[in-house]
Amino acid sequence: MKIVSLVPSITEALFDLGLTNEHEIVGRTKFCIHPQDQVKHVPVIGGTKNINIDKIKALKPDLILANKEENVKEQVETLMEDFKVIVSNIETIEDNYYLVKNLGKILNQEERAQHFNLKIYDILNQSKLNTSIKAAYLIWKNPYMTIGSDTFIHRILTEIGFENIFKDQTRYPQIIPEDLADADVIMLSSEPFPFKEKHIEELSGFYPDKKIIIVDGEAFSWYGTHIAKCGNYFKDLLAEIHRIQQS
């Protein structure tokens, strides 16, 4: 079965679940970067928002994997006219469980899929703050954008003990620096906007006494199997937050 993946984290999951000889990824987006040594051999069919329909048609895939949030509806619907397309919509930990389970079924790797699911639950159960901390998680700049309660990032954030100060909002609301006043910690994600140290300095001008940190965007937003590899990262992050609480 020839598969085209239009979703970076799903591409990673397919390789993690162990593609067998009868399954092959024949197309991926330029943002499908993991696992690096394997995806480099897979042809690129554009970006997640601007896929090349003609390139995909030329590959003649048996299955295309897309995502409601990652991909453009009109482009996906065009592909549906000629190909079998499965569109995921991942907002909760349970959604992610069934995504991994279903990918395992597709690849005839159900046992391996269950291993990853159990590992993910184990990591999330072990990664807990002692007391809840109010957090703001920023994903974009110019304008600043954060995350509402109906996002996968929010679920991961709350699972490990943070209280999203924008939990009463939905999707990815635009904000201004003044809206961050209630946060105990401000998290600047490494993706999709590549926040750097200079951006910490900018926000420190508004909040010199607040803790502002760069966080690994993949650890919070890459659904699929990725969280199963983030145990050490979450452990180190929570240890850093604990030090902040003690200081």
Side-chain angles (χ1 to χ4, degrees):
M1 180 166 62
K2 297 193 294 184
I3 302 171
V4 167
S5 173
L6 308 181
V7 189
S9 58
I10 289 180
T11 301
E12 178 187 35
L14 290 171
F15 281 108
D16 283 346
L17 292 175
L19 294 171
T20 52
N21 291 333
E22 67 267 25
H23 301 98
E24 179 186 10
I25 300 178
V26 296
R28 58 152 177 124
T29 76
K30 64 181 179 180
F31 301 111
C32 298
I33 57 174
H34 299 309
Q36 184 178 6
D37 60 331
Q38 292 170 288
V39 296
K40 66 183 180 182
H41 302 296
V42 180
V44 173
I45 47 77
T48 51
K49 305 294 185 186
N50 58 341
I51 57 179
N52 188 316
I53 302 291
D54 290 335
K55 276 190 176 181
I56 294 174
K57 286 183 177 181
L59 293 169
K60 298 180 180 178
D62 301 298
L63 176 65
I64 299 172
L65 298 173
N67 178 264
K68 181 180 178 181
E69 184 171 280
E70 290 274 356
N71 306 121
V72 176
K73 180 181 178 182
E74 290 75 17
Q75 293 178 336
V76 172
E77 288 177 342
T78 297
L79 291 171
M80 286 179 170
E81 295 173 5
D82 298 302
F83 304 103
K84 179 180 180 181
V85 182
I86 297 178
V87 182
S88 59
N89 182 30
I90 313 302
E91 295 181 1
T92 68
I93 308 302
E94 185 179 22
D95 289 340
N96 192 71
Y97 174 90
Y98 285 107
L99 169 67
V100 174
K101 183 177 181 178
N102 289 335
L103 290 176
K105 285 183 178 180
I106 291 170
L107 300 177
N108 298 317
Q109 295 283 349
E110 293 172 84
E111 187 175 333
R112 193 160 182 168
Q114 182 67 357
H115 166 77
F116 272 99
N117 271 328
L118 293 176
K119 180 69 173 177
I120 289 168
Y121 278 106
D122 185 49
I123 286 173
L124 293 176
N125 285 332
Q126 292 185 29
S127 305
K128 303 286 185 184
L129 287 168
N130 293 328
T131 56
S132 181
I133 292 181
K134 291 183 177 180
Y137 187 106
L138 303 190
I139 61 166
W140 202 257
K141 189 179 186 298
N142 296 327
Y144 283 117
M145 295 175 70
T146 185
I147 49 115
S149 59
D150 57 346
T151 62
F152 188 68
I153 297 171
H154 169 85
R155 297 300 179 125
I156 299 298
L157 201 64
T158 55
E159 276 286 327
I160 61 178
F162 292 98
E163 179 187 349
N164 178 12
I165 67 169
F166 298 102
K167 63 185 178 183
D168 293 332
Q169 300 195 45
T170 57
R171 307 317 294 155
Y172 304 105
Q174 294 184 18
I175 61 168
I176 56 176
E178 287 78 4
D179 295 329
L180 302 170
D182 290 339
D184 297 315
V185 60
I186 299 172
M187 298 177 170
L188 306 182
S189 179
S190 62
E191 66 160 55
F193 184 88
F195 281 104
K196 306 293 183 185
E197 292 296 322
K198 65 180 181 180
H199 301 116
I200 292 180
E201 295 173 10
E202 290 177 14
L203 280 175
S204 293
F206 290 91
Y207 299 106
D209 298 325
K210 285 191 187 296
K211 183 61 179 176
I212 306 171
I213 60 175
I214 305 289
V215 295
D216 182 356
E218 293 179 4
F220 285 92
S221 66
W222 278 46
Y223 41 83
T225 54
H226 193 81
I227 302 167
K229 309 168 191 177
C230 294
N232 289 335
Y233 173 75
F234 286 134
K235 181 180 178 180
D236 292 343
L237 174 64
L238 298 187
E240 181 181 358
I241 297 298
H242 182 69
R243 288 193 295 270
I244 295 169
Q245 289 179 298
Q246 300 301 312
S247 60

